[in-house]
Amino acid sequence: MNPDDLDTKFRNELKSKTEVPEKFYKDLDKTLSKIKEERKMKKSNKWITSIAAICILALLSGTGYAAITGKLKIFNNNKIDEQYDNYAEIVEDKFVENDYSKITLKEIACDDSYLILSYIVDVKEPGLCLLDDIQDDELLGFDFCLISDVMVNGKLCNSYSLNKQTAHKISNNQIEVYCLISLMGQELSDEFDVSIENFEWRSSNVSVNYHVEHSSKTIINDAISLKVSKSDAMANSTSFVPENSIYKYNDVTLIVEKIYKTPFESFVMVELQEANYSSDRFSENREDAYSWINLMILDENNNEISANLNPYGYVVLENGEYLESDGEIVDFTRSHPSTEFENATAVTKMIITFEEGLDNTKAITIKPYYETFLDNGAFEKEYFDSLTWYPVQEGTYSAENESGGKLEISQVEISEDKILFYYTKSGSVAYLDGKIYIRNKTRAFNYFLPDITNIIDENGNHICGFNLKDNGSYCLSSLEEGDTDDDYLTYKYSKDAFLENIEELEFAIGLGDEAHQEILGEGLLVELQ
Amino acid sequence: MEENITKYVKRAKKGDKDAFSYIVKQNADNLYRVAYGILNNYDDVSDAVSSTVLKAYENIYKLKSEQFFKTWITRILINECNMIIRNSKKLVYIDDYQELSSTDSNIETNIDVNDCIRSLDDKTREVTILYYLNDLSVKDISHILSIPEGTVKSRLATSRERIRIFFERKEELL
């Protein structure tokens, strides 16, 4: 066998032997949430009187919280939390158990978007996995994970980005777990088979070694099977193909396949095609400008809606064959084709969900755009220099981009150890853009991103902020005082050094580098009602 | 859509946690395959990937070239895996493997491609995984590991010899 054949044979065998199990994605999610929770916990400990109080107030003014109403929030998703009780059905006598724990499926709810499974986990051995050491955090839920394979009509439902889970502690040996399983795009009949297999529970509060040692107690190799009906929810669901469903702009074709409005979620199934696609677009090592297609969703008032795009795609080669996927929908951002090709068509399927739902929206415009990324540090400096920088003082401030997107600051709250900004966003402001930055004007080029984010007060204001004395945050800065602006690199700086003197600080509102977005025409207007 | 990664790596370097989560998720399959190739045990894999993600988060500001995020995090992961192997002494060198296989009929019937990976020494295994699982070129591996291309080639030659033995033994058993 020549070396090339040997390489190919070995490479193929190696890859084929390494299927990624679903629970790996769940474990990875737990690790990533630990990063986020670490920040949130730190925040709530430090500012019990301000931020935490605001958040709790926001929760209390919403659908109600356990301490007041006895009903837990499930996913911090208003629509699901409000509608769950209307569609949840009690399940009787469905459980799995071993000598150490029992997992009971107590309720199930379903529509075209989600299957929601509600469990009670009873731990029979006191202290197993140290559950009594874990506190149920009102904002974050409980650090507990129930792993299982959920099969619908025999097919594993493993939508990595859309499935979610929350847990709450009832007592030191009883935990309530809600699992949200995405059914979006499956086109199921009103009644279907569900089988839940390979149960394992764990708390990420203890070490992996502890889990390994106790895995025989926390793994239950048994299954729960049942028939599920979504007919109750279907009476309050609509789905339709819009009259105006295809939009073309040069090489790009956008097709809205179907729109769903169900009790738990509103979502849009979209196909995005890009012709004249080549293997060069996959290259990680290009040194010139990158560009890719993204979607912007606007409501009938031309305000951008926060939407989550869940893309999966494939590439159709010039000869009609599928690139290394046999026509299966794959996430081709994860694949690296070994063959070179030109004149192919990249097809991306997307399930678009909306943070605020679509119930109060009459029409949406889906606008594709090329986003260009210049891998060039000078561009970044140029961008930040172009922003308007204000002294850190109380007052109202606003900024508007060329597309009419606006960020308005209604209040600046300054204290010894933090600066908080209360603001609203409107118009076309991209999902991850629209940020407030802070810098020390006495230093060479530098800026900080807010380290307090994702907070909304009871009036709907977004809140972001900056801890001023928190070592370990990031800033972009020149190496040292004497460096030129061109020498800057990202460094982990002590904020104490940069942000100690409020008189030296200034802030700016950034609405994204819209100069590097090429909007592809007017987009597709879709009527929803 | 690969180009997106570079954009999000830039954001992650500046402390954007959502962007960091995004790029880690985009590399999830790669991380699993690399770790499993070395450790062949789910719990160890989960442990290694978890430590890797936390270390990557702590150190991403040090990453100079965003386009090398994937190879950078793979390097961290390989180090974590090697540490787990050293701590648990799970490494089976090829000589031991051959000795075992001559006496243990179970191993003979269960010859696995991942055993071949685990039978390599740390440095050869690192290069082998980057080459075969990550599909990186000799030049890129040389850049990532800061070793001459000739060294990469010689380690690949060592691993090819083991691979040849692996396939020969596999065919003998069929």
Side-chain angles (χ1 to χ4, degrees), chain B residues 29-38 74 77-78 129 133-134:
Chain B
D29 288 5
N30 172 59
L31 294 175
Y32 179 84
R33 291 198 172 107
V34 169
Y36 194 82
I38 301 172
T74 303
L77 178 64
I78 290 171
I129 285 168
L133 265 176
N134 283 39

Side-chain angles (χ1 to χ4, degrees), chain B residues 122-145:
Chain B
D122 284 4
K123 289 178 176 171
T124 310
R125 187 187 313 116
E126 193 171 55
V127 169
T128 305
I129 285 168
L130 292 173
Y131 186 75
Y132 289 102
L133 265 176
N134 283 39
D135 298 330
L136 291 173
S137 66
V138 168
K139 189 179 173 188
D140 285 344
I141 296 170
S142 154
H143 175 79
I144 296 158
L145 301 181

